[in-house]
Amino acid sequence: MNYNPKILLYILMLSTMGINTPLSIIGIILQISEYFNTSIAISGLYVSSFTFTIAVTGLFIPILFSKFEIKRTFITILGIFAVSNLVIIFTDNIYIASFFRIFSAIFYPAFISIALTFCEKIAPEGQKQDYITRILLGISIGSIVGLPITTGLGTIFGYQVAMSWIFLFSLITLILIIMLFPRIPGESKSYEMPMSSLKSKEFVLATVGIIMMPIGASMVYNYMPYFLQTVSHVYTYRLSVLLFAYGLISIFGTWLGGKLIAKKDKVTLIIFHLVCAAVFLGIYLFSDYLIPVLILVLIFGILDGMGYNLIQYIETSVLPESPELANGIFLSVLNGGIAFGIAIGGFLVDGFGVMSIFMGAIIFLLVAFIFMVYLILILKIPLKY
């Protein structure tokens, strides 16, 4: 079948943007709490139910769907997202909303993993990392640029309006796939879990070490709007503008992460965690000064965008013979880390105040740094580049 890989790449990039917008509702956690009449901690669990589900299903759902025709798989998953988001708009019952949020999240790993694996296969020689980075950019844009849009709509018009734009985005991407994506068979093959690789010391330590990064980053990122409102007194449209700038610079960070990994992977993996911890320490120390805080938040935006590349790179390096599984585990690690970060951050905010998220995040990042040093400099794990 003849098709233009660039066109398919950009269709999938836009689709991954749409399927990631449900992650952006953390920016309206106050509005969620008011709408459902729940605490900040419970609202945080409602938000994190999406990422907790992905963390679990990412381990097996991509493999189950890999044998099916690709276009039909994408249409089915995007259709589930559209219907689920529509129900969430109109229900005022947090249990019903949670059910449909979790139900749609079950199928998320299949879409992202197949998109990553497929784009790597169709990429011209020498452009594989670039194609992977474009899909990761879609993930980054959907969740990070979606944050200021959702936050702005939610703070100005309310929870239901914020959820409506998420529904419309998923509907648009569904229509694009139906109209423009060709029918491409999946790969029917017997699949055996590479148990020797999964049991290896390198895989276990790499996975445990790298999950510390999204936990620490998520503790700050997901409660950043709350911090900016309650401590820095940045409200309404100013908050949306700042978060939008954060999102744009995060896109640059995702692109930069791909370039740095391709050229200096070892240094990037080690130094990243120290730099991120230093930024969090700076925000904590200068929290009373608006300009330094804003500058440091934007620097964190660059680092946050880079994180997608680092996690995906580590997992595909330690599981080179199983790309679908590696990408599934990448999604499990990323979203599991985000979910734990949201949950831990919510209880820290309720128990110790919003400033405690920075100290908690620094601890997780320092643990990740120690793991990376041990893996790369002592165990000398083989990396892709």
PDB file of all heavy atoms in Angstrom, residues 288-318:
ATOM      1  N   ASP A 288       8.316  33.924  47.388  1.00  0.00           N
ATOM      2  CA  ASP A 288       7.724  35.240  47.674  1.00  0.00           C
ATOM      3  C   ASP A 288       8.033  36.269  46.602  1.00  0.00           C
ATOM      4  O   ASP A 288       7.534  37.399  46.663  1.00  0.00           O
ATOM      5  CB  ASP A 288       8.217  35.763  49.032  1.00  0.00           C
ATOM      6  CG  ASP A 288       7.696  34.933  50.190  1.00  0.00           C
ATOM      7  OD1 ASP A 288       6.586  34.356  50.051  1.00  0.00           O
ATOM      8  OD2 ASP A 288       8.383  34.841  51.224  1.00  0.00           O
ATOM      9  N   TYR A 289       8.850  35.884  45.619  1.00  0.00           N
ATOM     10  CA  TYR A 289       9.263  36.833  44.576  1.00  0.00           C
ATOM     11  C   TYR A 289       8.726  36.347  43.228  1.00  0.00           C
ATOM     12  O   TYR A 289       9.157  35.313  42.713  1.00  0.00           O
ATOM     13  CB  TYR A 289      10.781  36.953  44.545  1.00  0.00           C
ATOM     14  CG  TYR A 289      11.370  37.381  45.877  1.00  0.00           C
ATOM     15  CD1 TYR A 289      11.831  36.418  46.781  1.00  0.00           C
ATOM     16  CD2 TYR A 289      11.434  38.727  46.235  1.00  0.00           C
ATOM     17  CE1 TYR A 289      12.356  36.795  48.014  1.00  0.00           C
ATOM     18  CE2 TYR A 289      11.964  39.115  47.466  1.00  0.00           C
ATOM     19  CZ  TYR A 289      12.423  38.141  48.349  1.00  0.00           C
ATOM     20  OH  TYR A 289      12.929  38.521  49.565  1.00  0.00           O
ATOM     21  N   LEU A 290       7.812  37.105  42.667  1.00  0.00           N
ATOM     22  CA  LEU A 290       7.064  36.648  41.507  1.00  0.00           C
ATOM     23  C   LEU A 290       7.938  36.405  40.280  1.00  0.00           C
ATOM     24  O   LEU A 290       7.834  35.357  39.632  1.00  0.00           O
ATOM     25  CB  LEU A 290       5.963  37.653  41.158  1.00  0.00           C
ATOM     26  CG  LEU A 290       5.057  37.259  39.974  1.00  0.00           C
ATOM     27  CD1 LEU A 290       4.359  35.938  40.244  1.00  0.00           C
ATOM     28  CD2 LEU A 290       4.047  38.361  39.689  1.00  0.00           C
ATOM     29  N   ILE A 291       8.815  37.357  39.942  1.00  0.00           N
ATOM     30  CA  ILE A 291       9.605  37.243  38.710  1.00  0.00           C
ATOM     31  C   ILE A 291      10.517  36.019  38.722  1.00  0.00           C
ATOM     32  O   ILE A 291      10.521  35.234  37.754  1.00  0.00           O
ATOM     33  CB  ILE A 291      10.405  38.531  38.444  1.00  0.00           C
ATOM     34  CG1 ILE A 291       9.466  39.734  38.295  1.00  0.00           C
ATOM     35  CG2 ILE A 291      11.264  38.367  37.191  1.00  0.00           C
ATOM     36  CD1 ILE A 291       8.435  39.566  37.188  1.00  0.00           C
ATOM     37  N   PRO A 292      11.325  35.793  39.796  1.00  0.00           N
ATOM     38  CA  PRO A 292      12.148  34.575  39.824  1.00  0.00           C
ATOM     39  C   PRO A 292      11.311  33.301  39.730  1.00  0.00           C
ATOM     40  O   PRO A 292      11.717  32.342  39.063  1.00  0.00           O
ATOM     41  CB  PRO A 292      12.870  34.662  41.173  1.00  0.00           C
ATOM     42  CG  PRO A 292      12.898  36.112  41.497  1.00  0.00           C
ATOM     43  CD  PRO A 292      11.615  36.668  40.959  1.00  0.00           C
ATOM     44  N   VAL A 293      10.141  33.304  40.387  1.00  0.00           N
ATOM     45  CA  VAL A 293       9.278  32.125  40.328  1.00  0.00           C
ATOM     46  C   VAL A 293       8.818  31.865  38.897  1.00  0.00           C
ATOM     47  O   VAL A 293       8.860  30.730  38.406  1.00  0.00           O
ATOM     48  CB  VAL A 293       8.058  32.290  41.260  1.00  0.00           C
ATOM     49  CG1 VAL A 293       6.973  31.263  40.924  1.00  0.00           C
ATOM     50  CG2 VAL A 293       8.469  32.118  42.705  1.00  0.00           C
ATOM     51  N   LEU A 294       8.416  32.909  38.192  1.00  0.00           N
ATOM     52  CA  LEU A 294       7.938  32.744  36.826  1.00  0.00           C
ATOM     53  C   LEU A 294       9.051  32.226  35.915  1.00  0.00           C
ATOM     54  O   LEU A 294       8.809  31.357  35.067  1.00  0.00           O
ATOM     55  CB  LEU A 294       7.402  34.070  36.286  1.00  0.00           C
ATOM     56  CG  LEU A 294       6.178  34.641  37.005  1.00  0.00           C
ATOM     57  CD1 LEU A 294       5.719  35.937  36.336  1.00  0.00           C
ATOM     58  CD2 LEU A 294       5.041  33.634  37.051  1.00  0.00           C
ATOM     59  N   ILE A 295      10.265  32.740  36.086  1.00  0.00           N
ATOM     60  CA  ILE A 295      11.398  32.287  35.275  1.00  0.00           C
ATOM     61  C   ILE A 295      11.684  30.806  35.542  1.00  0.00           C
ATOM     62  O   ILE A 295      11.875  30.011  34.613  1.00  0.00           O
ATOM     63  CB  ILE A 295      12.644  33.140  35.560  1.00  0.00           C
ATOM     64  CG1 ILE A 295      12.424  34.577  35.069  1.00  0.00           C
ATOM     65  CG2 ILE A 295      13.883  32.532  34.895  1.00  0.00           C
ATOM     66  CD1 ILE A 295      13.512  35.538  35.480  1.00  0.00           C
ATOM     67  N   LEU A 296      11.693  30.433  36.815  1.00  0.00           N
ATOM     68  CA  LEU A 296      11.978  29.043  37.179  1.00  0.00           C
ATOM     69  C   LEU A 296      10.867  28.100  36.715  1.00  0.00           C
ATOM     70  O   LEU A 296      11.136  26.962  36.312  1.00  0.00           O
ATOM     71  CB  LEU A 296      12.165  28.938  38.693  1.00  0.00           C
ATOM     72  CG  LEU A 296      13.454  29.559  39.236  1.00  0.00           C
ATOM     73  CD1 LEU A 296      13.416  29.644  40.754  1.00  0.00           C
ATOM     74  CD2 LEU A 296      14.679  28.755  38.786  1.00  0.00           C
ATOM     75  N   VAL A 297       9.622  28.567  36.749  1.00  0.00           N
ATOM     76  CA  VAL A 297       8.511  27.752  36.255  1.00  0.00           C
ATOM     77  C   VAL A 297       8.684  27.463  34.761  1.00  0.00           C
ATOM     78  O   VAL A 297       8.460  26.340  34.294  1.00  0.00           O
ATOM     79  CB  VAL A 297       7.158  28.452  36.517  1.00  0.00           C
ATOM     80  CG1 VAL A 297       6.042  27.802  35.707  1.00  0.00           C
ATOM     81  CG2 VAL A 297       6.817  28.391  38.003  1.00  0.00           C
ATOM     82  N   LEU A 298       9.118  28.453  34.008  1.00  0.00           N
ATOM     83  CA  LEU A 298       9.326  28.260  32.575  1.00  0.00           C
ATOM     84  C   LEU A 298      10.514  27.332  32.302  1.00  0.00           C
ATOM     85  O   LEU A 298      10.484  26.543  31.358  1.00  0.00           O
ATOM     86  CB  LEU A 298       9.528  29.616  31.890  1.00  0.00           C
ATOM     87  CG  LEU A 298       8.290  30.528  31.880  1.00  0.00           C
ATOM     88  CD1 LEU A 298       8.617  31.859  31.226  1.00  0.00           C
ATOM     89  CD2 LEU A 298       7.118  29.853  31.170  1.00  0.00           C
ATOM     90  N   ILE A 299      11.556  27.429  33.132  1.00  0.00           N
ATOM     91  CA  ILE A 299      12.682  26.488  32.996  1.00  0.00           C
ATOM     92  C   ILE A 299      12.205  25.069  33.280  1.00  0.00           C
ATOM     93  O   ILE A 299      12.572  24.108  32.571  1.00  0.00           O
ATOM     94  CB  ILE A 299      13.836  26.874  33.946  1.00  0.00           C
ATOM     95  CG1 ILE A 299      14.447  28.216  33.520  1.00  0.00           C
ATOM     96  CG2 ILE A 299      14.919  25.781  33.955  1.00  0.00           C
ATOM     97  CD1 ILE A 299      15.482  28.739  34.487  1.00  0.00           C
ATOM     98  N   PHE A 300      11.363  24.930  34.293  1.00  0.00           N
ATOM     99  CA  PHE A 300      10.782  23.618  34.578  1.00  0.00           C
ATOM    100  C   PHE A 300       9.960  23.119  33.398  1.00  0.00           C
ATOM    101  O   PHE A 300       9.922  21.917  33.108  1.00  0.00           O
ATOM    102  CB  PHE A 300       9.916  23.684  35.837  1.00  0.00           C
ATOM    103  CG  PHE A 300       9.122  22.432  36.101  1.00  0.00           C
ATOM    104  CD1 PHE A 300       9.723  21.182  36.084  1.00  0.00           C
ATOM    105  CD2 PHE A 300       7.758  22.507  36.366  1.00  0.00           C
ATOM    106  CE1 PHE A 300       8.990  20.023  36.324  1.00  0.00           C
ATOM    107  CE2 PHE A 300       7.017  21.358  36.606  1.00  0.00           C
ATOM    108  CZ  PHE A 300       7.630  20.119  36.582  1.00  0.00           C
ATOM    109  N   GLY A 301       9.316  24.035  32.667  1.00  0.00           N
ATOM    110  CA  GLY A 301       8.561  23.658  31.478  1.00  0.00           C
ATOM    111  C   GLY A 301       9.435  22.953  30.455  1.00  0.00           C
ATOM    112  O   GLY A 301       9.025  21.952  29.849  1.00  0.00           O
ATOM    113  N   ILE A 302      10.650  23.459  30.251  1.00  0.00           N
ATOM    114  CA  ILE A 302      11.591  22.817  29.323  1.00  0.00           C
ATOM    115  C   ILE A 302      11.931  21.410  29.807  1.00  0.00           C
ATOM    116  O   ILE A 302      11.905  20.436  29.044  1.00  0.00           O
ATOM    117  CB  ILE A 302      12.870  23.658  29.180  1.00  0.00           C
ATOM    118  CG1 ILE A 302      12.546  25.022  28.566  1.00  0.00           C
ATOM    119  CG2 ILE A 302      13.909  22.924  28.328  1.00  0.00           C
ATOM    120  CD1 ILE A 302      13.729  25.966  28.513  1.00  0.00           C
ATOM    121  N   LEU A 303      12.228  21.293  31.104  1.00  0.00           N
ATOM    122  CA  LEU A 303      12.601  20.000  31.665  1.00  0.00           C
ATOM    123  C   LEU A 303      11.432  19.020  31.628  1.00  0.00           C
ATOM    124  O   LEU A 303      11.616  17.825  31.355  1.00  0.00           O
ATOM    125  CB  LEU A 303      13.081  20.197  33.109  1.00  0.00           C
ATOM    126  CG  LEU A 303      14.323  21.068  33.280  1.00  0.00           C
ATOM    127  CD1 LEU A 303      14.555  21.370  34.757  1.00  0.00           C
ATOM    128  CD2 LEU A 303      15.549  20.384  32.689  1.00  0.00           C
ATOM    129  N   ASP A 304      10.233  19.524  31.898  1.00  0.00           N
ATOM    130  CA  ASP A 304       9.056  18.669  31.878  1.00  0.00           C
ATOM    131  C   ASP A 304       8.840  18.083  30.487  1.00  0.00           C
ATOM    132  O   ASP A 304       8.503  16.902  30.334  1.00  0.00           O
ATOM    133  CB  ASP A 304       7.832  19.483  32.309  1.00  0.00           C
ATOM    134  CG  ASP A 304       6.639  18.604  32.641  1.00  0.00           C
ATOM    135  OD1 ASP A 304       6.849  17.414  32.936  1.00  0.00           O
ATOM    136  OD2 ASP A 304       5.508  19.101  32.597  1.00  0.00           O
ATOM    137  N   GLY A 305       9.035  18.893  29.460  1.00  0.00           N
ATOM    138  CA  GLY A 305       8.914  18.407  28.094  1.00  0.00           C
ATOM    139  C   GLY A 305       9.952  17.357  27.749  1.00  0.00           C
ATOM    140  O   GLY A 305       9.689  16.406  27.002  1.00  0.00           O
ATOM    141  N   MET A 306      11.161  17.495  28.298  1.00  0.00           N
ATOM    142  CA  MET A 306      12.224  16.535  28.040  1.00  0.00           C
ATOM    143  C   MET A 306      11.937  15.166  28.642  1.00  0.00           C
ATOM    144  O   MET A 306      12.407  14.139  28.147  1.00  0.00           O
ATOM    145  CB  MET A 306      13.553  17.054  28.600  1.00  0.00           C
ATOM    146  CG  MET A 306      14.127  18.249  27.885  1.00  0.00           C
ATOM    147  SD  MET A 306      15.637  18.859  28.693  1.00  0.00           S
ATOM    148  CE  MET A 306      16.704  17.426  28.546  1.00  0.00           C
ATOM    149  N   GLY A 307      11.157  15.140  29.725  1.00  0.00           N
ATOM    150  CA  GLY A 307      10.957  13.908  30.472  1.00  0.00           C
ATOM    151  C   GLY A 307      10.374  12.769  29.661  1.00  0.00           C
ATOM    152  O   GLY A 307      10.734  11.599  29.869  1.00  0.00           O
ATOM    153  N   TYR A 308       9.487  13.079  28.717  1.00  0.00           N
ATOM    154  CA  TYR A 308       8.880  12.028  27.886  1.00  0.00           C
ATOM    155  C   TYR A 308       9.960  11.236  27.138  1.00  0.00           C
ATOM    156  O   TYR A 308       9.927  10.009  27.073  1.00  0.00           O
ATOM    157  CB  TYR A 308       7.916  12.643  26.868  1.00  0.00           C
ATOM    158  CG  TYR A 308       6.705  13.301  27.469  1.00  0.00           C
ATOM    159  CD1 TYR A 308       6.677  14.668  27.728  1.00  0.00           C
ATOM    160  CD2 TYR A 308       5.574  12.556  27.771  1.00  0.00           C
ATOM    161  CE1 TYR A 308       5.563  15.274  28.275  1.00  0.00           C
ATOM    162  CE2 TYR A 308       4.443  13.152  28.309  1.00  0.00           C
ATOM    163  CZ  TYR A 308       4.449  14.512  28.562  1.00  0.00           C
ATOM    164  OH  TYR A 308       3.345  15.109  29.104  1.00  0.00           O
ATOM    165  N   ASN A 309      10.896  11.968  26.553  1.00  0.00           N
ATOM    166  CA  ASN A 309      11.969  11.319  25.796  1.00  0.00           C
ATOM    167  C   ASN A 309      12.827  10.436  26.683  1.00  0.00           C
ATOM    168  O   ASN A 309      13.218   9.330  26.292  1.00  0.00           O
ATOM    169  CB  ASN A 309      12.858  12.396  25.150  1.00  0.00           C
ATOM    170  CG  ASN A 309      12.233  12.996  23.920  1.00  0.00           C
ATOM    171  OD1 ASN A 309      12.208  12.401  22.860  1.00  0.00           O
ATOM    172  ND2 ASN A 309      11.704  14.200  24.071  1.00  0.00           N
ATOM    173  N   LEU A 310      13.142  10.916  27.878  1.00  0.00           N
ATOM    174  CA  LEU A 310      14.034  10.172  28.761  1.00  0.00           C
ATOM    175  C   LEU A 310      13.441   8.839  29.174  1.00  0.00           C
ATOM    176  O   LEU A 310      14.125   7.799  29.144  1.00  0.00           O
ATOM    177  CB  LEU A 310      14.366  11.012  30.005  1.00  0.00           C
ATOM    178  CG  LEU A 310      15.594  11.933  29.904  1.00  0.00           C
ATOM    179  CD1 LEU A 310      15.412  12.972  28.802  1.00  0.00           C
ATOM    180  CD2 LEU A 310      15.845  12.633  31.240  1.00  0.00           C
ATOM    181  N   ILE A 311      12.162   8.845  29.547  1.00  0.00           N
ATOM    182  CA  ILE A 311      11.527   7.611  29.994  1.00  0.00           C
ATOM    183  C   ILE A 311      11.417   6.614  28.839  1.00  0.00           C
ATOM    184  O   ILE A 311      11.741   5.431  28.980  1.00  0.00           O
ATOM    185  CB  ILE A 311      10.133   7.897  30.589  1.00  0.00           C
ATOM    186  CG1 ILE A 311      10.251   8.847  31.790  1.00  0.00           C
ATOM    187  CG2 ILE A 311       9.467   6.593  31.037  1.00  0.00           C
ATOM    188  CD1 ILE A 311       8.915   9.363  32.281  1.00  0.00           C
ATOM    189  N   GLN A 312      10.941   7.092  27.683  1.00  0.00           N
ATOM    190  CA  GLN A 312      10.792   6.204  26.532  1.00  0.00           C
ATOM    191  C   GLN A 312      12.133   5.642  26.094  1.00  0.00           C
ATOM    192  O   GLN A 312      12.250   4.464  25.725  1.00  0.00           O
ATOM    193  CB  GLN A 312      10.116   6.972  25.385  1.00  0.00           C
ATOM    194  CG  GLN A 312       9.519   6.091  24.297  1.00  0.00           C
ATOM    195  CD  GLN A 312      10.478   5.811  23.140  1.00  0.00           C
ATOM    196  OE1 GLN A 312      11.540   6.440  23.037  1.00  0.00           O
ATOM    197  NE2 GLN A 312      10.099   4.887  22.270  1.00  0.00           N
ATOM    198  N   TYR A 313      13.177   6.462  26.168  1.00  0.00           N
ATOM    199  CA  TYR A 313      14.508   6.043  25.746  1.00  0.00           C
ATOM    200  C   TYR A 313      15.072   4.955  26.652  1.00  0.00           C
ATOM    201  O   TYR A 313      15.651   3.960  26.175  1.00  0.00           O
ATOM    202  CB  TYR A 313      15.444   7.256  25.729  1.00  0.00           C
ATOM    203  CG  TYR A 313      16.834   6.939  25.237  1.00  0.00           C
ATOM    204  CD1 TYR A 313      17.070   6.657  23.903  1.00  0.00           C
ATOM    205  CD2 TYR A 313      17.915   6.918  26.121  1.00  0.00           C
ATOM    206  CE1 TYR A 313      18.344   6.358  23.448  1.00  0.00           C
ATOM    207  CE2 TYR A 313      19.185   6.623  25.672  1.00  0.00           C
ATOM    208  CZ  TYR A 313      19.399   6.347  24.343  1.00  0.00           C
ATOM    209  OH  TYR A 313      20.664   6.052  23.898  1.00  0.00           O
ATOM    210  N   ILE A 314      14.901   5.113  27.956  1.00  0.00           N
ATOM    211  CA  ILE A 314      15.393   4.118  28.906  1.00  0.00           C
ATOM    212  C   ILE A 314      14.718   2.766  28.676  1.00  0.00           C
ATOM    213  O   ILE A 314      15.364   1.720  28.603  1.00  0.00           O
ATOM    214  CB  ILE A 314      15.166   4.590  30.355  1.00  0.00           C
ATOM    215  CG1 ILE A 314      16.254   5.581  30.778  1.00  0.00           C
ATOM    216  CG2 ILE A 314      15.160   3.413  31.329  1.00  0.00           C
ATOM    217  CD1 ILE A 314      17.607   4.950  31.038  1.00  0.00           C
ATOM    218  N   GLU A 315      13.383   2.779  28.565  1.00  0.00           N
ATOM    219  CA  GLU A 315      12.653   1.517  28.451  1.00  0.00           C
ATOM    220  C   GLU A 315      12.944   0.805  27.124  1.00  0.00           C
ATOM    221  O   GLU A 315      13.060  -0.421  27.091  1.00  0.00           O
ATOM    222  CB  GLU A 315      11.152   1.754  28.609  1.00  0.00           C
ATOM    223  CG  GLU A 315      10.740   2.236  30.008  1.00  0.00           C
ATOM    224  CD  GLU A 315      11.112   1.257  31.115  1.00  0.00           C
ATOM    225  OE1 GLU A 315      11.383   0.081  30.816  1.00  0.00           O
ATOM    226  OE2 GLU A 315      11.129   1.669  32.287  1.00  0.00           O
ATOM    227  N   THR A 316      13.033   1.541  26.029  1.00  0.00           N
ATOM    228  CA  THR A 316      13.346   0.891  24.749  1.00  0.00           C
ATOM    229  C   THR A 316      14.805   0.458  24.685  1.00  0.00           C
ATOM    230  O   THR A 316      15.149  -0.429  23.899  1.00  0.00           O
ATOM    231  CB  THR A 316      13.033   1.822  23.562  1.00  0.00           C
ATOM    232  OG1 THR A 316      13.678   3.091  23.745  1.00  0.00           O
ATOM    233  CG2 THR A 316      11.528   2.051  23.438  1.00  0.00           C
ATOM    234  N   SER A 317      15.654   1.042  25.500  1.00  0.00           N
ATOM    235  CA  SER A 317      17.054   0.618  25.553  1.00  0.00           C
ATOM    236  C   SER A 317      17.203  -0.712  26.277  1.00  0.00           C
ATOM    237  O   SER A 317      17.989  -1.571  25.860  1.00  0.00           O
ATOM    238  CB  SER A 317      17.919   1.684  26.248  1.00  0.00           C
ATOM    239  OG  SER A 317      18.048   2.836  25.457  1.00  0.00           O
ATOM    240  N   VAL A 318      16.439  -0.906  27.353  1.00  0.00           N
ATOM    241  CA  VAL A 318      16.583  -2.150  28.125  1.00  0.00           C
ATOM    242  C   VAL A 318      15.699  -3.271  27.579  1.00  0.00           C
ATOM    243  O   VAL A 318      15.848  -4.420  27.987  1.00  0.00           O
ATOM    244  CB  VAL A 318      16.281  -1.917  29.629  1.00  0.00           C
ATOM    245  CG1 VAL A 318      17.332  -1.013  30.244  1.00  0.00           C
ATOM    246  CG2 VAL A 318      14.885  -1.346  29.834  1.00  0.00           C
TER     247      VAL A 318
END
